[in-house]
Amino acid sequence: MPTAVLDLDLKGLPTEIKGLHGYNKAFTLCRIGQKPVGSTVLPVVNGAIRMEEVYDDLLNAAGLHLQTTWLEEFCEKAGLPADNRSCSPVTIAICTRNRTADLKDCLAALQQLPNDGQEILVVDNCPSSNDTRNLVAGYPGVRYVCEPKKGLNNARNRALAEATHGIVAFTDDDARPDPGWLRALSPHFDHPLVAAVTGLTLPAELETEAQEKFETFSSFSRGFQRKIYDTDSQNPLQVGGIGAGANMALRKSVLQTAGPFDAALDAGTPTKSGGDHEYFFRLLKKGHRIVYEPEALSWHRHRRTDKELQATLKGYGTGVYAFWTKALLVDKEFSVFHLSYRWFIHEQLPNLIKAVLQRPNAIPFKLVLYEIAGCAMGPWAYLRSRRR
Amino acid sequence: MVPTHNRSRSLKRLLNGLARQSFPLSAFEVIVVADGCTDDTLQMLQNYRSPYELLWVEQPAQGAAVARNAGAAKAGSELFIFLDDDIDPSPDLVQSHVLLHSRPNKVVVGYLPLPHPQTEALYYINLWNWWEQKYQLMRNAGYRFGYTDLLSGNFSVQRSLFESAGRFDATLRCREDYELGVRLIKAGADFEVSMNAWGYHRDEVTKSNRFFQRKLHEGKADVKLARLHPELMLNLPLAQLRGPFTRKKKGLLFLLYKFPAGCDTVAKTASFFLPLFEKLRMRKAWYSGRTLLYRYWYFKGVASETKTEKVLRDLLAAGRPRAGDDFVDIDLSRTLTEQQRRIDKLRPAQLRFTYAGRVLGYAGNVNGVENIRSAQLKDLFSSAGLTAALQVETLTADTDTHKTN
């Protein structure tokens, strides 16, 4: 049965939510006054949820944020000024290919952002039609650029080259950023060490089983606590937990130190993914800081069918191993052997076994297999891609 | 004022940078103190043609503290800007320092970042990170300056405050800036960081041995610091040697005092592994190894300065934190604007937070940091862990109000 997706603000809860027929549960984002603080899954009874029954659940989901938000408000009322960090204008970049319907929703969401002088740039990567061009023509404030060289990383590099402002915020075309997205990302760049900021990505819908499986086993979400990743406390090869390119902002000037995105990696190449993670790896090695900011919220439409889900997971495996292959060959990162061993022995193999034994909450056997198959193909995919 | 020791090329670069200052060149003088220079520094100074007044003093090698004091003695003006010889100043450095000295008790710390890393060498990346994080912390409005923020490579102070605080301690070869920081804070100096008074710190340390040597000197200097200011003992890393004496501690002290040469050999041999770890990209091993060696050399410095274990134990026993000072009351049930003004006027060492007469808790009594300013209220309050208590009080107050209504 599908799961509903709800967005509730603890400061303005209705007494009841109705119209949820066809769902038996609801994935719920909790906010306190616009700020996302936690998520939980609430039971739906007869197509409705009564707030008084789930209030405790929501408060638990908010956790310590309740106290910190309360203190912020108390201080503001008492006359203590809030921290004010300067914000520079941002270029929002959407790299897209043949997904005009999704792009339309994305652009509609971006129109809801408050005007802080941002520019919106659509990079149409190797399109097979003029649909995207025509769509963007209908948005006078949005710039259109066509990048003929196939590959998501080529599109990202083009976006960085074309961006007018010093900070570029990337969103995928199948994601809908929250109105507070930009204002949560940009203040972090006030700190000179920060090269990138990643945000929280939640599912826009959980209508199909494939989408539910993706959210359960391969979610984009990295939690509701801000995290700081520095070179001395984070293994630069283990960047999966930092975030994803579907919701990230970069300081343009890091191109000088870290170089451009690797055109041999990510979607549009045999390696399928990993281009964003390989870049995070390079940023950390150069001594930069990456911040995970959960208030930079975006809603992502996961793939709807099982086939697409399998391809996605296989692609993730390929991407990670491709990135590690590059790290080994180019940067002499010998520890990739140890990391791949650990991943297989401590995660992938146990997951396979749990699936075979049909343990509850086990990742479906097929999905683990696809991921491992993807991993196996990773190194060759990288070499093939590099030769191209 | 620039103390210098055998760095004629860096010094020349600094002098050139000072010739490009936006501040009128006739309005400042540069005093270089050549501290036991055996290279071509003096020839360079003699041949240097400066658009500003350039004076120099020569002295046998006695360390930067003595050199800076000598420069101050020769100085003709009332405002001193101390710079190290390896800094590459921005054109607005002098002007930015001068602009902030609106009151006689100000100490201005200028931003002194390392140049952006062109290398992936771990030691450099770490160093760059460390300095950037330090300065960024100082930029926060609620930051409470401490003695470790007196960074002698780029700071300015007025003569009256410098002299009344007692100038640099001439017996220190290391940490002399921290030690001056302690006295400046005790004298009620008002610290401020200026990101505009910036220069690049073109530190030429490339060999890791120099880092270990620095740790050794820091250990020795901290012993002197602890003797001069016993209330700071607990802030210093050497306080880790206090009791209870675990077997590890006892073992370490035994080795440090009884087999100093042997331990040094082991440490020097161990340090050869670090470049190997880095080459093999074994980061965790590199960090752990480096931390271990830093700690060894630091404690080695402590041991060599105290000479015997008994002296060390006596020193540690003498460390007492300063007793709680008078506090100022902050009533959180009333608006804070007036109370903030009071704090800025009185600059207390400690605050007592209350809510409608009921005490929530105390905050702020820390050794080695400046007295409290109103901008620090919020941070002090949350770091003292008083939020829950405050919530209870406001809830009770609300309930009472509802009851009476």
Side-chain angles (χ1 to χ4, degrees):
Chain A
M1 222 185 188
T3 308
V5 174
L6 296 176
D7 186 345
L8 297 178
D9 194 332
L10 287 170
K11 278 189 159 179
L13 287 175
T15 29
E16 196 180 7
I17 300 182
K18 293 206 263 236
L20 298 173
H21 298 284
Y23 301 107
N24 62 351
K25 49 192 190 311
F27 175 91
T28 311
L29 168 69
C30 305
R31 298 184 196 249
I32 302 178
Q34 300 311 309
K35 179 177 149 182
V37 293
S39 70
T40 182
V41 178
L42 301 178
V44 174
V45 179
N46 293 328
I49 302 179
R50 307 216 20 236
M51 278 308 126
E52 59 185 13
E53 287 166 20
V54 298
Y55 194 59
D56 278 341
D57 228 331
L58 294 172
L59 289 183
N60 275 333
L64 279 175
H65 287 279
L66 284 171
Q67 204 179 69
T68 42
T69 322
W70 182 90
L71 183 63
E72 293 285 335
E73 291 173 4
F74 180 89
C75 290
E76 233 183 289
K77 260 194 288 189
L80 285 178
D83 289 324
N84 230 345
R85 275 182 295 184
S86 58
C87 291
S88 335
V90 176
T91 296
I92 301 174
I94 313 154
C95 301
T96 181
R97 180 168 195 261
N98 297 339
R99 283 215 283 240
T100 316
D102 278 329
L103 180 62
K104 192 162 179 216
D105 288 336
C106 181
L107 289 174
L110 289 175
Q111 303 302 309
Q112 305 300 316
L113 264 58
N115 188 354
D116 290 324
Q118 65 267 21
E119 79 167 331
I120 304 178
L121 174 67
V122 170
V123 179
D124 197 1
N125 187 228
C126 191
S128 12
S129 75
N130 277 328
D131 290 346
T132 302
R133 183 190 287 269
N134 294 336
L135 170 71
V136 176
Y139 287 85
V142 178
R143 266 175 71 198
Y144 174 88
V145 151
C146 180
E147 172 49 58
K149 278 188 290 187
K150 190 167 167 218
L152 177 54
N153 270 1
N154 283 322
R156 285 178 177 142
N157 286 333
R158 184 68 185 275
L160 288 172
E162 297 278 345
T164 328
H165 299 309
I167 300 169
V168 183
F170 289 92
T171 172
D172 272 3
D173 51 12
D174 53 0
R176 284 186 284 111
D178 205 58
W181 179 64
L182 216 54
R183 282 189 175 169
L185 288 171
S186 50
H188 287 289
F189 290 96
D190 188 47
H191 194 302
L193 281 178
V194 171
V197 182
T198 56
L200 167 64
T201 306
L202 294 179
E205 61 181 38
L206 293 168
E207 297 293 318
T208 70
E209 214 186 307
Q211 288 176 327
E212 284 176 309
K213 280 193 215 153
F214 184 88
E215 187 56 30
T216 315
F217 303 122
S218 183
S219 167
F220 281 126
S221 166
R222 298 291 179 258
F224 289 84
Q225 291 289 2
R226 182 182 301 161
K227 294 200 190 98
I228 294 180
Y229 295 93
D230 275 321
T231 183
D232 54 4
S233 54
Q234 179 65 27
N235 183 351
L237 288 166
Q238 290 185 291
V239 288
I242 296 182
N247 183 353
M248 71 174 173
L250 287 183
R251 193 196 292 276
K252 216 172 131 167
S253 58
V254 298
L255 279 174
Q256 266 104 323
T257 44
F261 283 94
D262 187 344
L265 292 171
D266 223 312
T269 72
T271 64
K272 308 290 184 212
S273 75
D276 44 4
H277 291 157
E278 194 271 333
Y279 204 70
F280 294 159
F281 157 76
R282 260 188 279 154
L283 288 176
L284 285 175
K285 281 200 26 159
K286 293 290 183 189
H288 293 294
R289 173 181 281 197
I290 306 180
V291 180
Y292 168 69
E293 175 53 75
E295 289 185 44
L297 173 62
S298 184
W299 302 91
H300 179 261
R301 188 182 66 73
H302 300 336
R303 302 279 78 79
R304 286 203 170 102
T305 66
D306 272 321
K307 270 223 136 45
E308 286 171 301
L309 174 63
Q310 287 159 3
T312 308
L313 288 184
K314 191 170 174 200
Y316 284 158
T318 310
V320 172
Y321 268 59
F323 148 41
W324 284 351
T325 306
K326 179 186 178 179
L328 176 66
L329 296 177
V330 175
D331 298 284
K332 319 265 195 299
E333 294 284 347
F334 301 107
S335 56
V336 295
F337 292 113
H338 179 61
L339 283 177
S340 34
Y341 168 85
R342 267 211 346 237
W343 189 17
F344 183 72
I345 296 294
H346 293 287
E347 279 186 51
Q348 292 174 320
L349 191 57
N351 286 337
L352 272 178
I353 295 172
K354 274 191 233 166
V356 165
L357 297 176
Q358 298 191 330
R359 287 275 149 82
N361 301 325
I363 305 177
F365 183 80
K366 240 185 166 172
L367 292 180
V368 188
L369 214 57
Y370 269 99
E371 188 187 68
I372 296 177
C375 292
M377 291 169 47
W380 326 119
Y382 174 67
L383 294 171
R384 251 178 42 229
S385 191
R386 201 165 71 158
R387 231 174 292 139
R388 287 224 252 115
Chain B
M1 265 172 292
V2 186
T4 185
H5 175 71
N6 290 342
R7 280 202 192 141
S8 64
R9 269 195 23 233
S10 292
L11 180 61
K12 190 163 183 188
R13 180 182 54 213
L14 169 60
L15 295 178
N16 290 341
L18 291 173
R20 292 189 292 263
Q21 290 298 304
S22 55
F23 194 74
L25 300 179
S26 54
F28 67 83
E29 63 180 5
V30 176
I31 302 177
V32 174
V33 182
D35 182 47
C37 289
T38 53
D39 67 347
D40 62 332
T41 300
L42 290 164
Q43 284 101 293
M44 188 275 290
L45 286 169
Q46 266 154 7
N47 298 332
Y48 192 84
R49 304 260 266 277
S50 65
Y52 45 78
E53 171 129 30
L54 173 61
L55 309 163
W56 64 89
V57 179
E58 209 188 322
Q59 66 175 33
Q62 289 166 83
V66 177
R68 292 189 186 106
N69 287 346
K74 198 173 168 80
S77 324
E78 292 310 304
L79 177 60
F80 299 163
I81 302 178
F82 289 96
L83 296 176
D84 273 356
D85 57 12
D86 54 2
I87 127 164
D88 190 359
S90 69
D92 291 326
L93 183 143
V94 175
Q95 172 144 295
S96 307
H97 271 290
V98 171
L99 281 174
L100 288 175
H101 281 273
S102 48
R103 288 195 299 279
N105 70 336
K106 298 266 326 194
V107 172
V108 177
V109 178
Y111 182 37
L112 192 55
L114 285 173
H116 220 275
Q118 302 299 319
T119 164
E120 284 178 14
L122 288 171
Y123 85 89
Y124 190 86
I125 300 256
N126 268 271
L127 199 60
W128 175 63
N129 257 265
W130 191 85
W131 281 106
E132 281 294 354
Q133 290 187 37
K134 192 162 176 71
Y135 284 108
Q136 296 307 320
L137 275 178
M138 285 198 249
R139 280 175 73 194
N140 288 331
Y143 183 72
R144 210 167 161 202
F145 283 89
Y147 68 95
T148 57
D149 298 321
L150 199 285
L151 301 164
S152 53
N154 177 3
F155 85 99
S156 61
V157 63
Q158 291 184 48
R159 178 200 288 274
S160 45
L161 178 58
F162 184 68
E163 301 288 348
S164 65
R167 309 191 296 159
F168 282 98
D169 185 324
T171 63
L172 294 174
R173 302 288 289 237
C174 178
R175 301 283 217 224
E176 72 279 359
D177 43 6
Y178 285 9
E179 198 278 328
L180 176 63
V182 178
R183 284 185 277 116
L184 283 171
I185 286 190
K186 279 188 182 159
D190 192 5
F191 277 65
E192 187 171 347
V193 70
S194 167
M195 302 307 279
N196 292 332
W198 71 273
Y200 277 123
H201 184 188
R202 298 202 187 270
D203 194 6
E204 283 154 32
V205 174
T206 46
K207 285 179 156 186
S208 48
N209 298 340
R210 284 279 303 273
F211 286 108
F212 298 136
Q213 279 282 80
R214 270 194 192 156
K215 287 292 163 193
L216 178 73
H217 289 308
E218 281 174 18
K220 289 186 181 177
D222 274 1
V223 172
K224 292 186 188 159
L225 199 57
R227 282 190 181 129
L228 291 167
H229 307 282
E231 78 279 4
L232 283 184
M233 176 78 64
L234 297 179
N235 296 39
L236 301 172
L238 58 77
Q240 291 165 33
L241 293 173
R242 290 164 96 228
F245 287 100
T246 57
R247 245 193 288 195
K248 222 165 134 185
K249 250 183 240 183
K250 281 202 231 173
L252 173 69
L253 291 174
F254 177 76
L255 288 171
L256 281 175
Y257 286 103
K258 297 291 187 234
F259 298 107
C263 289
D264 282 1
T265 319
V266 173
K268 284 184 185 144
T269 324
S271 66
F272 282 118
F273 281 96
L274 289 185
L276 186 65
F277 289 153
E278 189 168 356
K279 251 209 153 77
L280 292 175
R281 309 283 190 262
M282 294 166 66
R283 285 180 190 87
K284 240 175 162 172
W286 187 90
Y287 280 109
S288 312
R290 191 187 68 147
T291 309
L292 214 63
L293 285 171
Y294 272 1
R295 285 165 65 85
Y296 170 77
W297 287 107
Y298 175 85
F299 290 126
K300 167 74 196 236
V302 171
S304 73
E305 184 66 25
T306 50
K307 308 275 194 296
T308 68
E309 202 172 320
K310 176 164 190 320
V311 172
L312 173 68
R313 290 203 196 206
D314 289 342
L315 177 71
L316 292 171
R320 294 252 177 286
R322 193 183 60 206
D325 286 283
D326 299 327
F327 50 82
V328 164
D329 265 322
I330 298 287
D331 187 351
L332 291 171
S333 62
R334 300 191 346 248
T335 48
L336 293 173
T337 340
E338 190 53 52
Q339 300 187 71
Q340 283 181 284
R341 269 200 281 266
R342 229 170 94 238
I343 297 181
D344 281 332
K345 207 163 134 237
L346 297 172
R347 298 293 302 272
Q350 202 179 182
L351 293 179
R352 186 174 74 168
F353 288 101
T354 63
Y355 190 89
R358 275 185 294 283
V359 175
L360 294 172
Y362 294 82
N365 184 28
V366 181
N367 285 303
V369 296
E370 59 175 350
N371 284 355
I372 299 170
R373 287 178 285 122
S374 64
Q376 295 148 0
L377 254 185
K378 193 157 130 193
D379 283 344
L380 275 177
F381 182 77
S382 18
S383 61
L386 299 174
T387 314
L390 178 62
Q391 277 181 306
V392 171
E393 290 298 333
T394 50
L395 274 173
T396 327
D398 281 347
T399 336
D400 289 343
T401 324
H402 284 303
K403 277 200 192 133
T404 56
N405 283 349

